């Protein structure tokens, strides 16, 4: 009795502290009745992106049902057609031939039935052999946000753009919460996969009290679904699991796999988006197909401190297998870091991160991500820098490109690690360490990296940088993307996002790529091992007043071995 009280108090305290550090973002289902149908008179352009996906106006959140089908990529996403805060949610729909240039169509799925009258929330697409694409999504049936799962198919499967979707009345909703399941925490069905027994499986995110869960459902015909006795996986204290994603990755190479592939040559990935903190984490593990259980590997922390696709603003992500290029592609939503009132004034909120190819690192300890190769077609006007030495306190401009809309790839090197600062083992939280040390506190090996979206006199800048520390038996590398000095505006969330990088120092080099796009700095450390997306709102470092620099603020001299930077053309978003 006493013990259970202690546990309850501990969980409550943990939940409150997690909420206090919740990535600075309001709960996504927070309803602003007075704002959610307020349409802005005009759209503010200054921080709109040039090549990250965003519609002409209004609120967007989670990517939904991405797929490649009959020559087109389809991206659906959560969208408020009436305003720029969350609400009135439909599935907006865009199509593309190359994942970069998009054409908007009419919303594909919108409230029209009793089983989705109060909203069409997130879900996934599965290409069912012999049937074509099927979307499973969460319908909201009442004002209490009771959730059911809905089945939708194209009205005309021969339409190459799959414009209209129907939700057959005779079978919907296909899944309701059922006994023992919390009906207001029961959402975001995954892409389905087929087991060796010929039955389909899919997951639905949920929680039981504070335990995050992914319920498993099975079906023979994709229409009648039965819940398995046990969830595929669950974890104490992690709270509601939103937008679960479950898929195999090959042990060798970068090739992506269809979601139904299983066997000794693969590991599985389970990713969940944690409603309590607005962060996601994933584990790598083994899918025991005979038991329909997923067991995370002992190299993957299963919980709050787990691996993240991205240590910045990246949420509700979803991957799909692109059968046209045999790769797995990951989409994630990047929310704003300004206030709801700002969003109403500017007439838009939310973007999608650049789609990323994802594969297993050869160490098998983590995933690696890289912007899809198609992005490179937007590159123009290349400039480069080679063997540029950076002494302590130096910064050098990367001139000649449109620094507010750019792509930069750089490799830094140094000749010795002797000067690396001592690592304090209590520094387990990378973000805390980054906010403590930042880019301005002089170090030994680092901080060095890029000053992005910088005003000429550095009154504003968003540094993306490494700091190297020396622990007793290894070196610890921190990658930071620090928004603290990003804007002279005060009413903004300016986090010091950071993650540790798993590095082999045989070559004493570190590489970085940053995609800079007006209010986005999306960075990939060490070839995509540790990635961070920041949203920033400079007032001086805008348009052609933005600059890009390389810098070093450590005592060890740093060499910019090779840097290439490009102005980026704008993507077509029509
Ligand atoms: N957003 C959707 C939900 C999902 C959440 C609602 C995650 O289905 O759980 O817009 O951002």
């Amino acid at each position: 009795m006493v013990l259970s009280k202690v546990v309850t108090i501990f969980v409550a305290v943990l939940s409150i502290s997690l909420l206090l550090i919740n990535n600075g973002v309001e709960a996504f289902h927070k309803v602003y009745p007075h704002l959610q149908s307020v349409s802005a008179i005009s759209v503010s352009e200054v921080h709109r992106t040039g090549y990250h996906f965003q519609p002409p106006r209004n609120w967007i959140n989670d990517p939904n049902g991405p797929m490649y089908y009959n020559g087109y990529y389809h991206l659906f996403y959560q969208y408020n057609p009436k305003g720029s805060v969350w609400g009135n949610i439909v599935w907006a729909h865009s199509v593309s031939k190359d994942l970069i240039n998009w054409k908007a169509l009419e919303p594909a799925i919108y409230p029209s039935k009793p089983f989705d009258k109060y909203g069409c929330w997130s879900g996934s697409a599965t290409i069912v052999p012999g049937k074509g694409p099927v979307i499973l999504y969460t319908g909201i049936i009442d004002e209490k946000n009771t959730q059911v799962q809905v089945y939708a198919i194209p009205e005309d499967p021969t339409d190459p753009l799959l414009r209209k979707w129907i939700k057959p009345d005779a079978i919907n909703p296909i899944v309701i919460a059922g006994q023992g399941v919390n009906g207001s925490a029961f959402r975001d069905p995954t892409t389905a996969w087929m087991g060796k027994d010929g039955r389909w499986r899919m997951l639905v995110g949920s929680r039981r009290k504070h335990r995050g869960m992914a319920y498993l459902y099975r079906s023979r015909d994709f229409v009648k679904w039965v819940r398995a006795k046990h969830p595929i996986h669950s974890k104490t204290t992690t709270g509601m699991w939103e937008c679960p994603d479950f898929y195999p990755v090959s042990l060798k190479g970068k090739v992506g796999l269809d979601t139904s592939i299983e066997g000794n040559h693969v590991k599985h990935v389970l990713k969940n988006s944690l409603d309590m903190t607005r962060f996601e984490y994933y584990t790598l593990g083994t899918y025991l197909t005979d038991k329909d259980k997923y067991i995370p590997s002992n190299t993957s922390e299963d919980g709050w401190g787990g691996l993240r696709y991205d240590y910045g603003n990246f949420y509700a992500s979803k991957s799909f297998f692109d059968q046209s290029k045999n790769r797995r592609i990951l989409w994630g939503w990047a929310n704003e870091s300004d206030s709801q009132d700002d969003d109403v004034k500017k007439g838009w909120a939310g973007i999608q991160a650049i789609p990323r190819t994802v594969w297993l690192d050869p160490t098998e300890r983590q995933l690696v991500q890289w912007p899809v190769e198609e992005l490179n077609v937007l590159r123009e006007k290349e400039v480069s820098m080679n063997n540029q030495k950076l002494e302590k306190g130096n910064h050098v401009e990367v001139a000649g490109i449109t620094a507010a809309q750019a792509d930069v790839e750089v490799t830094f090197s140094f000749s010795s690690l002797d000067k690396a600062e001592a690592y304090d083992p209590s520094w387990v939280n990378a973000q805390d360490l980054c906010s403590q040390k930042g880019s301005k506190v002089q170090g030994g090996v680092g901080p060095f990296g890029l000053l992005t979206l910088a005003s000429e006199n550095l009154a504003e800048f968003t540094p993306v940088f490494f700091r190297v520390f020396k622990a007793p038996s290894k070196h610890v590398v921190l990658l930071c993307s620090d928004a603290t000095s990003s804007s002279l505006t005060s009413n903004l969330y300016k986090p010091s996002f950071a993650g540790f990088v798993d590095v082999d120092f045989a070559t004493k080099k570190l590489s970085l790529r940053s995609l800079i796009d007006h209010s986005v700095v999306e960075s990939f450390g060490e070839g995509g091992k540790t990635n961070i997306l920041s949203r920033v709102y400079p007032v001086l470092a805008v348009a052609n007043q933005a600059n890009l620099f390389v810098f070093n603020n450590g005592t060890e001299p740093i060499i910019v071995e090779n840097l290439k930077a490009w102005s980026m053309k704008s993507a077509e978003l029509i």
Side-chain angles (χ1 to χ4, degrees), residues 395 451 454-461 488 540-541 545 547 549:
H395 67 279
L451 303 178
S455 62
E456 202 179 348
N457 57 4
L458 297 187
E460 291 182 332
F461 63 101
L488 296 179
L540 302 174
Q545 299 301 305
N547 301 279
F549 299 94

Side-chain angles (χ1 to χ4, degrees), residues 28-29 61-62 78 86 89 121-122 138 187-188 240 242-243 278 315-316 333:
F28 289 151
H29 311 119
N61 57 296
D62 320 354
Q78 298 275 283
W86 184 85
I89 290 296
W121 288 14
S122 288
T138 299
R187 56 183 179 269
D188 309 336
M240 174 68 197
E242 296 189 312
C243 301
R278 319 278 99 212
Y315 193 70
W333 161 51

Side-chain angles (χ1 to χ4, degrees), residues 79-220:
Y79 179 64
N80 180 355
K82 295 186 181 161
S84 47
V85 301
W86 184 85
N88 310 305
I89 290 296
V90 304
W91 278 44
H93 184 192
S94 287
V95 289
S96 170
K97 287 269 182 194
D98 62 6
L99 289 164
I100 301 300
N101 300 294
W102 292 90
K103 179 178 159 52
L105 306 173
E106 287 300 303
I109 297 176
Y110 44 85
S112 64
K113 302 275 182 179
F115 48 75
D116 65 6
K117 187 167 169 205
Y118 292 86
C120 299
W121 288 14
S122 288
S124 309
T126 307
I127 298 168
V128 180
K131 221 175 192 161
V134 178
I135 283 173
L136 302 180
Y137 69 97
T138 299
I140 306 297
I141 62 170
D142 58 24
E143 280 171 339
K144 290 186 291 176
N145 280 346
T146 303
Q147 296 153 27
V148 299
Q149 315 315 323
V150 181
Y151 171 108
I153 46 172
E155 186 181 84
D156 173 8
T158 65
D159 170 13
L161 301 181
L162 303 175
R163 267 174 280 225
K164 295 221 176 317
W165 289 73
I166 50 171
K167 318 154 185 179
D169 286 319
I171 56 170
N172 274 313
I174 47 147
V175 178
I176 57 168
Q179 222 190 357
V181 175
N182 178 346
S184 58
F186 180 61
R187 56 183 179 269
D188 309 336
T190 62
T191 296
W193 69 96
M194 185 181 273
K196 289 247 160 60
D197 58 3
R199 283 184 294 172
W200 288 99
R201 275 112 171 125
M202 59 104 173
L203 306 179
V204 179
S206 188
R207 72 178 161 84
R208 188 172 286 158
K209 295 204 169 137
H210 303 286
R211 177 181 279 274
M213 341 247 301
Y215 287 118
L216 174 73
Y217 285 80
R218 299 191 191 96
S219 173
R220 292 198 184 279

Side-chain angles (χ1 to χ4, degrees), residues 4 11 14 34 63 68 86 120 122 181 210 236 273 281 377 434 436 440 468 522:
S4 76
V11 170
L14 181 75
H34 59 300
Y68 178 81
W86 184 85
C120 299
S122 288
V181 175
H210 303 286
T236 51
S273 307
Y281 82 95
V377 304
C434 178
Q436 190 184 322
K440 292 179 194 161
V468 182
E522 184 174 359

